[in-house]
Amino acid sequence: MVKTHLMDDKDLVSLYQTGDQAAITELITRYKQRIFSAIFFLVKNRELAEDLFQETFIKIINSLRKNHYNEQGKFLPWALRIAHNLVIDHFRKEKLMPLQRDSEEFSVFDVLPQNEKNPEQRIIQDEKVAFVNALLDKLPPDQREVVILRHYGGLSFKEISKMLDININTALGRMHYAILKMREMVNKDVLNGTE
Amino acid sequence: MLKNSTRNNLVRYAYNETGLIDGDQTQRLIDGDPLVENEFKEIVDFINLLDEIKLEPSAECIKRIMAHS
């Protein structure tokens, strides 16, 4: 039996292209949190994030089947680029501004990892997600995008600069200004309205 | 007040994106200046805060993808 969890992305892609389903399962398991978190923080709606995540992986699967993948082992940047383009396409089609608010039915519990079973832990996690959401929400879109792609997507600054067609120092600058701004918000307690 | 280039280096270092030589230089800068050290600590604290959030799609969503595969 092939131990897919020990294989690198490039080998998993090759294995899937020979028809081994375990390879795509491993790629999804490996990257579902990063890709889903990046989509979620960009669209801030669970159902939409799930739809776009699904669409991302269907595109990935179709590309792999057609042998259109040629990223020399750089699976994650490629996958995130697909996800990012789908998010942009969605907002273009809908003519909506990104980062709209969630519906009242939204529960952050629905997007937390399945192993977070303890209710107390879930409440704490719920508060953390809401807190980070609020911080990200107050950032300028270009800074927010870099934070999400670097931190939740796991792309390097070099990969982000390539993806967004910006200079690496611009990407680094946006990240550092985002951190400064978020820190200022936390220090001033803007989020609790006690500024 | 730190230079933007110093802050950019600190951000890069915090994310382990510096090479060995640049990383060593940045660490020396951190060790040699309390202002830089404090700035670096605050960047790392913030990264740790962001790091505490882990989200994932539902099992149903994964099932739908696997059905397509």
Side-chain angles (χ1 to χ4, degrees), chain A residues 18-192:
Chain A
T18 66
D20 193 321
Q21 293 291 309
I24 195 72
T25 305
E26 174 58 28
L27 283 169
I28 293 171
T29 304
R30 198 173 283 183
Y31 295 119
K32 65 181 176 183
Q33 283 190 353
R34 285 184 180 185
I35 296 171
F36 183 77
S37 298
I39 296 172
F40 176 79
F41 281 119
L42 286 168
V43 302
K44 299 209 171 184
N45 177 288
R46 179 183 60 80
E47 284 183 17
L48 179 56
E50 291 224 343
D51 285 349
L52 292 170
F53 178 84
Q54 187 180 326
E55 213 177 317
T56 299
F57 266 95
I58 286 173
K59 275 198 169 218
I60 287 169
I61 286 165
N62 290 342
S63 295
L64 296 182
R65 280 180 179 161
K66 291 174 187 169
N67 285 322
H68 287 172
Y69 174 77
N70 185 25
E71 296 285 316
Q72 298 175 337
K74 299 273 185 187
F75 179 82
L76 182 62
W78 176 66
L80 276 167
R81 199 158 56 240
I82 292 172
H84 189 253
N85 287 341
L86 285 171
V87 169
I88 291 169
D89 285 351
H90 168 79
F91 287 116
R92 271 192 197 136
K93 277 182 206 161
E94 299 294 319
K95 293 184 180 170
L96 292 170
M97 286 300 288
L99 310 178
Q100 63 174 1
R101 290 289 178 187
D102 296 305
S103 66
E104 286 180 6
E105 296 84 41
F106 170 76
S107 167
V108 77
F109 288 173
D110 296 329
V111 294
L112 294 177
Q114 299 298 311
N115 58 0
E116 298 281 351
K117 297 286 185 192
N118 181 321
E120 276 183 28
Q121 284 178 338
R122 300 191 102 187
I123 289 167
I124 292 167
Q125 185 74 352
D126 185 12
E127 287 172 354
K128 284 178 184 169
V129 174
F131 181 70
V132 170
N133 240 336
L135 286 175
L136 292 174
D137 214 17
K138 290 178 191 296
L139 291 176
D142 56 352
Q143 291 177 18
R144 181 169 52 225
E145 193 172 40
V146 171
V147 173
I148 292 169
L149 290 173
R150 180 61 194 88
H151 199 85
Y152 295 104
L155 294 186
S156 68
F157 289 108
K158 191 176 173 186
E159 288 164 340
I160 292 169
S161 66
K162 197 175 164 191
M163 183 169 164
L164 300 180
D165 198 19
I166 55 176
N167 186 287
I168 190 166
N169 284 325
T170 306
L172 283 162
R174 286 179 189 176
M175 186 77 189
H176 116 234
Y177 279 116
I179 290 174
L180 286 180
K181 192 167 171 63
M182 288 191 285
R183 200 164 72 196
E184 189 187 350
M185 282 190 264
V186 171
N187 290 340
K188 286 186 177 176
D189 212 4
V190 168
L191 300 170
N192 293 325

Side-chain angles (χ1 to χ4, degrees), chain A residues 5-18:
Chain A
H5 65 284
L6 299 175
M7 296 173 70
D8 65 23
D9 296 349
K10 194 179 175 185
D11 290 340
L12 285 170
V13 166
S14 301
L15 187 63
Y16 179 62
Q17 286 171 329
T18 66

